[in-house]
Amino acid sequence: MVFTIFNRVKNLFLLLSLLTAGSTAFSQYWQQRVDYVIEVSLDVKTKTLDGFEKIAYTNHSPDTLHYLWFHLWPNAYKNDRTALTDQLLTNGKTALYFASKEQRGYINRLDFKADGVTARTEDHPEHIDVVKLILPKPLPPGGKVNITTPFHVKLPFNFSRGGYSGETFQITQWYPKPAVYDRKGWHPMPYLDQGEFYSEFGSFDVRITLPRDYVVAATGELQNEAEKLWLKGRKQSDSRPQKKPAPVSKPGVPKPKAPPRDTITKTLVYKQDNVHDFAWFANRDFIVESDTCILPSGRSVEVYAFFTPEEAKQWSKAVSYAKDATRFYSTEVGEYPYATVSIVQGPESFGGGMEYPTITVIAPAESAKTLDMVIAHEVGHNWFQGVLASNERDHPWLDEGINSFYEHRYMKAKYGQWSRGNELLFMTKAKRLTDQPISTPSEALSEFNYGLVTYEKTANWMEGLEKKWGEEVLRSAIRRYYKQWRFRHPYPEDLKAVLGQFSTDTAAAFAQLDSTGLLPHQEPMGFSFVSPFKRGSIKNYLQSPSRNIIALFPALGSNSYDRTMLGILLTNYKLPPTNFNFLVAPMYATGSKSLVGLGRLNYSIHRKGLIRKTDLFVNASKFSMDQFKDTAGRKLTMQFWKLAPGLRVTLNEKDPKSQVRRYLQWKTFLIGEQSLRISRDTVISGTDTALILRYGLPRQDRYLNQLRLVYENNRALYPFRFHLQVEQASDFIRPALTANYFFNYPDQGGLQLRFFAGKFIYLNGKTIRKQFENDRYHLNMTGANGYEDYTYSTYFFGRNEFEGLESQQIMMRDGGFKVRTDLLASKIGKTDNWLAAINLHSSLPDKINPLSVLPVKIPLGVFFDIGTYAEAWEKDAEGDRFLYDMGLHIPLLDEAVNIFIPVFYNKVYGDYFKSTIPKNRFFKTISFTIDLYPKSLRALNRELEF
């Protein structure tokens, strides 16, 4: 009641503002008020809303207003040229861009009237989800205007916070809403996924009409007593059983009928004062659990949880979690001012959680503890967003960051010290100089920085204040901030002014908000030994990172010649990284009975400017790569040694959100290999004078210089990559260009286009000796085998095998063909002149993927390779000038393993298969690649690097 009077009576509002003012600036504070009466009906079949809105807009500003900016946020889903679509693409999400007409959304049938007089609108110069409402007559200070309009909303699929998913509805940002006008002017803003909102306080009186069998969860207090009783009957113990998969229809058998739906409607009324938004959620299957929560003052609050039978087990304690969070924030920040708290389970298509006044929606969680954490965070937004309604678009840290600080305190109090994994990721970005200041507006942040800086770094900033000032001082300061600014729009300077009443050190603290890098108290110190052999050491490091570590882990490897390899991995690699890093992994090979392994030294220099990062490194490895049995049955194992020093220079990008990566790399490969040689010693044995040959394994050394220039753009839509590589050895220079371009499909997946062109140039003339000795470096159209991995940079299980499964492994090199002709003295499509090829890979949609019927989802694609080379164009050349192969592609384990099944190819390939593969030809023509650095790890590394 106090809050209702406080907001409705203008003079009392101004008086209380003056009485609670802590400064001259605060005594001049004012804010607008917007009161809503909305009637809306939901059409489940067409997924539309039809509504009528009455707005009482009160001008508390000292200015005369001639227009009002209005948000029409459903129009953010109208086409593929909105600010929302652009941002989602920047953040790697293409679903809305390629959305079907059914999946898109919009708002129309608007007819604004101001005090009964038609008011015209003007389009925003940039955004279709913002309009300017021209008032028929000026609105003076202290004046009020009554605005009405009908509206029709086509709900979008839930791409971002709200819409529909199946026959469930998440109705958010759905009605015409005036933008905020405050002491800094108007704040019209388009709807964004990354970057939340800023709205005026007022009251809501909302009437919702929808089918009678739907359960509704909404902002505010339900006014229908009969509905309250019905909701109380939908407890978990009384709910319908969990859904079973729909039976698969068979030919000639009628398809099972869907369960009947209630066509009778009901109208529900919800009211709430002192809020700045209204959201509601509708689902036929919701279970409803509720309880009362007694706040520290003794006041009682109703707590509700709405969830589906599928999530009943996970959500069984959801009400308890919400009560714990409500009491915690009431104690730490200030008493919860409303009568209800509701948490709602969102659909799978909705990620994370999103807060609205008195209610929050949360996606299915992976564990009960995670659910508790997300509930605490989202319930906490009733304080830091709901009551303290800061401008989340321009100052997201005031909301998300401070709330994360309290979420961390809640989890620590309840579960003890937690893993600081997200903080480690932020510290990694900071060490690599790719973070952004806390004060950065949400839409200017990269997606990674939005999560790591806005949430994690701000929470750590608050922890720093707590350590410096003391827990009680910070608690008192935030409680005063809450009391003084509740139901208002605080800015950073307002928080600073309140904190300044408790400390004289606020200037230095707030200066940290505008800086990048680690906070003063955040710099790790000390040394840790981390190993699974030392109990609790990994957990301890994640909870309390140190400046330096030595990590010891078991190392395991395998190949056809060394067989099982066992050893240790010793490293100081960690998050956040140090400038100097090393890794050594010595292993004992049970097959070759020898010591093998790998190692790496790396020194990184990070700078701001044109060159962002310089890496000086050296890699080393030793493994077995071939075997031979002599006539006496003795097994000889051949090994290689590799030492590869290098330099890599990574250029900076001006826009932190840029997906462009540019770097220049130089490597020198120093490689020693054992080869099989017949010894001069001959042994004559037995009466048949059998000749036994002796073999030696002399070592041969070679070198290769390699220069790479890479430009890539990993944007979500049509990403591409250019890779220019020049290699030089004693006898040749080998320049090559590889270009990749990806064409997205609307239903995910796409077409990958690869172009390769290379030239082999002999130094000081071409000779028969040079041709023979440099055979492995020649440009190749057919699938390259382990011997042709001349830098030993690809993992091969059987590097030099010509039979069995191991022989079917290839690497993507040069022409990139998937067929193999290893048994020929001169492989088909091999040249020491020039070669050019095009490779196409296309994914297949599930509806035509025969593997989609399997219980485990296995993607399927098709490939097509075509190329030509110098010898095919000579005058006396025989056969086809262009070679091709085509078949099926099965990517597995995040593309760590790729299986290729050639189906169509040139006759010359077919003749080869017939002559060399008499049995099981289909299976033996299949090839595969192995990449120990799968797609998701590559993407994560790019995010941490930039």
mmCIF file of all heavy atoms in Angstrom, residues 914-938:
data_model
loop_
_atom_site.group_PDB
_atom_site.id
_atom_site.type_symbol
_atom_site.label_atom_id
_atom_site.label_comp_id
_atom_site.label_asym_id
_atom_site.label_seq_id
_atom_site.Cartn_x
_atom_site.Cartn_y
_atom_site.Cartn_z
ATOM 1 N N LYS A 914 39.725 -52.534 -59.291
ATOM 2 C CA LYS A 914 39.490 -53.890 -59.783
ATOM 3 C C LYS A 914 40.769 -54.713 -59.789
ATOM 4 O O LYS A 914 40.762 -55.918 -59.527
ATOM 5 C CB LYS A 914 38.899 -53.838 -61.185
ATOM 6 C CG LYS A 914 37.473 -53.303 -61.240
ATOM 7 C CD LYS A 914 36.978 -53.197 -62.678
ATOM 8 C CE LYS A 914 35.576 -52.592 -62.731
ATOM 9 N NZ LYS A 914 35.122 -52.445 -64.136
ATOM 10 N N SER A 915 41.881 -54.068 -60.085
ATOM 11 C CA SER A 915 43.138 -54.809 -60.196
ATOM 12 C C SER A 915 43.819 -55.036 -58.856
ATOM 13 O O SER A 915 44.633 -55.950 -58.715
ATOM 14 C CB SER A 915 44.094 -54.057 -61.125
ATOM 15 O OG SER A 915 44.422 -52.783 -60.581
ATOM 16 N N THR A 916 43.487 -54.241 -57.860
ATOM 17 C CA THR A 916 44.199 -54.340 -56.570
ATOM 18 C C THR A 916 43.327 -54.820 -55.424
ATOM 19 O O THR A 916 43.846 -55.215 -54.382
ATOM 20 C CB THR A 916 44.799 -52.975 -56.187
ATOM 21 O OG1 THR A 916 43.744 -52.008 -56.098
ATOM 22 C CG2 THR A 916 45.824 -52.529 -57.216
ATOM 23 N N ILE A 917 42.008 -54.766 -55.583
ATOM 24 C CA ILE A 917 41.109 -55.160 -54.482
ATOM 25 C C ILE A 917 40.157 -56.222 -55.011
ATOM 26 O O ILE A 917 39.028 -55.928 -55.442
ATOM 27 C CB ILE A 917 40.316 -53.955 -53.940
ATOM 28 C CG1 ILE A 917 41.243 -52.781 -53.619
ATOM 29 C CG2 ILE A 917 39.556 -54.354 -52.674
ATOM 30 C CD1 ILE A 917 40.519 -51.541 -53.167
ATOM 31 N N PRO A 918 40.549 -57.479 -55.001
ATOM 32 C CA PRO A 918 39.686 -58.533 -55.559
ATOM 33 C C PRO A 918 38.467 -58.836 -54.691
ATOM 34 O O PRO A 918 37.437 -59.274 -55.195
ATOM 35 C CB PRO A 918 40.621 -59.742 -55.648
ATOM 36 C CG PRO A 918 41.673 -59.480 -54.611
ATOM 37 C CD PRO A 918 41.867 -58.005 -54.562
ATOM 38 N N LYS A 919 38.565 -58.638 -53.354
ATOM 39 C CA LYS A 919 37.463 -58.976 -52.450
ATOM 40 C C LYS A 919 37.115 -57.772 -51.564
ATOM 41 O O LYS A 919 37.969 -56.946 -51.271
ATOM 42 C CB LYS A 919 37.838 -60.167 -51.568
ATOM 43 C CG LYS A 919 38.084 -61.459 -52.338
ATOM 44 C CD LYS A 919 38.450 -62.585 -51.379
ATOM 45 C CE LYS A 919 38.712 -63.894 -52.122
ATOM 46 N NZ LYS A 919 39.059 -64.984 -51.195
ATOM 47 N N ASN A 920 35.862 -57.753 -51.090
ATOM 48 C CA ASN A 920 35.391 -56.706 -50.175
ATOM 49 C C ASN A 920 35.747 -55.312 -50.694
ATOM 50 O O ASN A 920 36.213 -54.450 -49.955
ATOM 51 C CB ASN A 920 35.975 -56.909 -48.769
ATOM 52 C CG ASN A 920 35.581 -58.239 -48.166
ATOM 53 O OD1 ASN A 920 34.437 -58.679 -48.328
ATOM 54 N ND2 ASN A 920 36.517 -58.876 -47.491
ATOM 55 N N ARG A 921 35.525 -55.113 -51.988
ATOM 56 C CA ARG A 921 35.957 -53.877 -52.624
ATOM 57 C C ARG A 921 35.275 -52.659 -52.018
ATOM 58 O O ARG A 921 35.911 -51.615 -51.816
ATOM 59 C CB ARG A 921 35.690 -53.957 -54.130
ATOM 60 C CG ARG A 921 36.258 -52.782 -54.919
ATOM 61 C CD ARG A 921 36.087 -53.023 -56.410
ATOM 62 N NE ARG A 921 36.747 -54.268 -56.804
ATOM 63 C CZ ARG A 921 36.351 -55.006 -57.817
ATOM 64 N NH1 ARG A 921 35.291 -54.661 -58.519
ATOM 65 N NH2 ARG A 921 36.999 -56.116 -58.133
ATOM 66 N N PHE A 922 33.992 -52.768 -51.717
ATOM 67 C CA PHE A 922 33.257 -51.610 -51.196
ATOM 68 C C PHE A 922 33.889 -51.095 -49.907
ATOM 69 O O PHE A 922 34.146 -49.894 -49.760
ATOM 70 C CB PHE A 922 31.789 -51.970 -50.959
ATOM 71 C CG PHE A 922 31.002 -50.879 -50.279
ATOM 72 C CD1 PHE A 922 30.570 -49.779 -50.999
ATOM 73 C CD2 PHE A 922 30.718 -50.951 -48.921
ATOM 74 C CE1 PHE A 922 29.849 -48.758 -50.375
ATOM 75 C CE2 PHE A 922 30.003 -49.946 -48.292
ATOM 76 C CZ PHE A 922 29.565 -48.855 -49.018
ATOM 77 N N PHE A 923 34.153 -51.989 -48.965
ATOM 78 C CA PHE A 923 34.679 -51.565 -47.666
ATOM 79 C C PHE A 923 36.132 -51.108 -47.767
ATOM 80 O O PHE A 923 36.559 -50.207 -47.052
ATOM 81 C CB PHE A 923 34.542 -52.699 -46.645
ATOM 82 C CG PHE A 923 33.122 -53.019 -46.300
ATOM 83 C CD1 PHE A 923 32.475 -54.110 -46.855
ATOM 84 C CD2 PHE A 923 32.407 -52.207 -45.429
ATOM 85 C CE1 PHE A 923 31.161 -54.397 -46.552
ATOM 86 C CE2 PHE A 923 31.088 -52.487 -45.119
ATOM 87 C CZ PHE A 923 30.459 -53.585 -45.679
ATOM 88 N N LYS A 924 36.894 -51.682 -48.675
ATOM 89 C CA LYS A 924 38.305 -51.321 -48.754
ATOM 90 C C LYS A 924 38.549 -50.020 -49.517
ATOM 91 O O LYS A 924 39.649 -49.478 -49.461
ATOM 92 C CB LYS A 924 39.094 -52.461 -49.381
ATOM 93 C CG LYS A 924 39.175 -53.685 -48.475
ATOM 94 C CD LYS A 924 40.052 -54.782 -49.058
ATOM 95 C CE LYS A 924 40.135 -55.977 -48.107
ATOM 96 N NZ LYS A 924 41.000 -57.052 -48.643
ATOM 97 N N THR A 925 37.542 -49.535 -50.205
ATOM 98 C CA THR A 925 37.698 -48.231 -50.849
ATOM 99 C C THR A 925 37.343 -47.083 -49.907
ATOM 100 O O THR A 925 37.603 -45.919 -50.221
ATOM 101 C CB THR A 925 36.812 -48.126 -52.095
ATOM 102 O OG1 THR A 925 35.441 -48.337 -51.728
ATOM 103 C CG2 THR A 925 37.225 -49.141 -53.151
ATOM 104 N N ILE A 926 36.754 -47.394 -48.755
ATOM 105 C CA ILE A 926 36.411 -46.367 -47.777
ATOM 106 C C ILE A 926 37.700 -45.789 -47.179
ATOM 107 O O ILE A 926 38.651 -46.515 -46.899
ATOM 108 C CB ILE A 926 35.515 -46.954 -46.668
ATOM 109 C CG1 ILE A 926 34.161 -47.368 -47.242
ATOM 110 C CG2 ILE A 926 35.319 -45.943 -45.544
ATOM 111 C CD1 ILE A 926 33.273 -48.096 -46.251
ATOM 112 N N SER A 927 37.734 -44.494 -46.989
ATOM 113 C CA SER A 927 38.873 -43.837 -46.344
ATOM 114 C C SER A 927 38.379 -43.002 -45.168
ATOM 115 O O SER A 927 37.179 -42.728 -45.045
ATOM 116 C CB SER A 927 39.623 -42.955 -47.347
ATOM 117 O OG SER A 927 38.759 -41.955 -47.866
ATOM 118 N N PHE A 928 39.304 -42.592 -44.309
ATOM 119 C CA PHE A 928 38.921 -41.785 -43.147
ATOM 120 C C PHE A 928 40.082 -40.901 -42.734
ATOM 121 O O PHE A 928 41.254 -41.167 -43.040
ATOM 122 C CB PHE A 928 38.475 -42.673 -41.978
ATOM 123 C CG PHE A 928 39.561 -43.532 -41.394
ATOM 124 C CD1 PHE A 928 40.328 -43.106 -40.312
ATOM 125 C CD2 PHE A 928 39.830 -44.794 -41.934
ATOM 126 C CE1 PHE A 928 41.336 -43.896 -39.788
ATOM 127 C CE2 PHE A 928 40.840 -45.596 -41.407
ATOM 128 C CZ PHE A 928 41.589 -45.147 -40.328
ATOM 129 N N THR A 929 39.750 -39.818 -42.017
ATOM 130 C CA THR A 929 40.749 -38.927 -41.433
ATOM 131 C C THR A 929 40.562 -38.890 -39.928
ATOM 132 O O THR A 929 39.466 -39.144 -39.416
ATOM 133 C CB THR A 929 40.648 -37.500 -41.992
ATOM 134 O OG1 THR A 929 39.363 -36.960 -41.645
ATOM 135 C CG2 THR A 929 40.807 -37.485 -43.503
ATOM 136 N N ILE A 930 41.633 -38.556 -39.220
ATOM 137 C CA ILE A 930 41.594 -38.389 -37.762
ATOM 138 C C ILE A 930 42.180 -37.029 -37.429
ATOM 139 O O ILE A 930 43.277 -36.684 -37.888
ATOM 140 C CB ILE A 930 42.389 -39.492 -37.034
ATOM 141 C CG1 ILE A 930 41.771 -40.863 -37.302
ATOM 142 C CG2 ILE A 930 42.435 -39.216 -35.537
ATOM 143 C CD1 ILE A 930 42.551 -42.011 -36.683
ATOM 144 N N ASP A 931 41.451 -36.243 -36.648
ATOM 145 C CA ASP A 931 41.915 -34.932 -36.195
ATOM 146 C C ASP A 931 41.798 -34.902 -34.677
ATOM 147 O O ASP A 931 40.697 -34.957 -34.127
ATOM 148 C CB ASP A 931 41.068 -33.820 -36.817
ATOM 149 C CG ASP A 931 41.626 -32.424 -36.547
ATOM 150 O OD1 ASP A 931 42.508 -32.310 -35.672
ATOM 151 O OD2 ASP A 931 41.187 -31.467 -37.204
ATOM 152 N N LEU A 932 42.935 -34.846 -33.986
ATOM 153 C CA LEU A 932 42.929 -34.845 -32.523
ATOM 154 C C LEU A 932 42.535 -33.492 -31.942
ATOM 155 O O LEU A 932 42.502 -33.338 -30.724
ATOM 156 C CB LEU A 932 44.316 -35.244 -32.001
ATOM 157 C CG LEU A 932 44.781 -36.651 -32.395
ATOM 158 C CD1 LEU A 932 46.156 -36.928 -31.802
ATOM 159 C CD2 LEU A 932 43.787 -37.705 -31.947
ATOM 160 N N TYR A 933 42.236 -32.539 -32.800
ATOM 161 C CA TYR A 933 41.846 -31.196 -32.364
ATOM 162 C C TYR A 933 40.481 -30.889 -32.965
ATOM 163 O O TYR A 933 40.357 -30.200 -33.957
ATOM 164 C CB TYR A 933 42.887 -30.197 -32.856
ATOM 165 C CG TYR A 933 42.925 -28.883 -32.129
ATOM 166 C CD1 TYR A 933 42.814 -28.801 -30.739
ATOM 167 C CD2 TYR A 933 43.105 -27.697 -32.834
ATOM 168 C CE1 TYR A 933 42.871 -27.588 -30.095
ATOM 169 C CE2 TYR A 933 43.168 -26.470 -32.194
ATOM 170 C CZ TYR A 933 43.046 -26.429 -30.817
ATOM 171 O OH TYR A 933 43.105 -25.225 -30.162
ATOM 172 N N PRO A 934 39.388 -31.428 -32.375
ATOM 173 C CA PRO A 934 38.066 -31.343 -33.002
ATOM 174 C C PRO A 934 37.521 -29.919 -33.085
ATOM 175 O O PRO A 934 38.074 -28.969 -32.520
ATOM 176 C CB PRO A 934 37.201 -32.226 -32.109
ATOM 177 C CG PRO A 934 37.908 -32.282 -30.802
ATOM 178 C CD PRO A 934 39.352 -32.164 -31.106
ATOM 179 N N LYS A 935 36.395 -29.811 -33.764
ATOM 180 C CA LYS A 935 35.822 -28.525 -34.125
ATOM 181 C C LYS A 935 35.543 -27.616 -32.925
ATOM 182 O O LYS A 935 35.889 -26.433 -32.937
ATOM 183 C CB LYS A 935 34.517 -28.779 -34.907
ATOM 184 C CG LYS A 935 33.879 -27.557 -35.506
ATOM 185 C CD LYS A 935 32.655 -27.978 -36.301
ATOM 186 C CE LYS A 935 31.945 -26.774 -36.907
ATOM 187 N NZ LYS A 935 30.740 -27.195 -37.671
ATOM 188 N N SER A 936 34.924 -28.136 -31.875
ATOM 189 C CA SER A 936 34.562 -27.306 -30.732
ATOM 190 C C SER A 936 35.784 -26.781 -29.993
ATOM 191 O O SER A 936 35.786 -25.659 -29.486
ATOM 192 C CB SER A 936 33.666 -28.089 -29.766
ATOM 193 O OG SER A 936 34.311 -29.265 -29.327
ATOM 194 N N LEU A 937 36.851 -27.589 -29.907
ATOM 195 C CA LEU A 937 38.075 -27.124 -29.253
ATOM 196 C C LEU A 937 38.732 -26.013 -30.066
ATOM 197 O O LEU A 937 39.272 -25.058 -29.498
ATOM 198 C CB LEU A 937 39.048 -28.288 -29.069
ATOM 199 C CG LEU A 937 38.716 -29.284 -27.956
ATOM 200 C CD1 LEU A 937 39.776 -30.371 -27.896
ATOM 201 C CD2 LEU A 937 38.616 -28.569 -26.605
ATOM 202 N N ARG A 938 38.681 -26.117 -31.375
ATOM 203 C CA ARG A 938 39.239 -25.059 -32.216
ATOM 204 C C ARG A 938 38.463 -23.760 -32.006
ATOM 205 O O ARG A 938 39.058 -22.679 -31.925
ATOM 206 C CB ARG A 938 39.197 -25.468 -33.685
ATOM 207 C CG ARG A 938 40.092 -26.644 -34.031
ATOM 208 C CD ARG A 938 40.298 -26.773 -35.543
ATOM 209 N NE ARG A 938 39.067 -27.012 -36.259
ATOM 210 C CZ ARG A 938 38.579 -28.206 -36.554
ATOM 211 N NH1 ARG A 938 39.217 -29.300 -36.147
ATOM 212 N NH2 ARG A 938 37.457 -28.342 -37.240
#
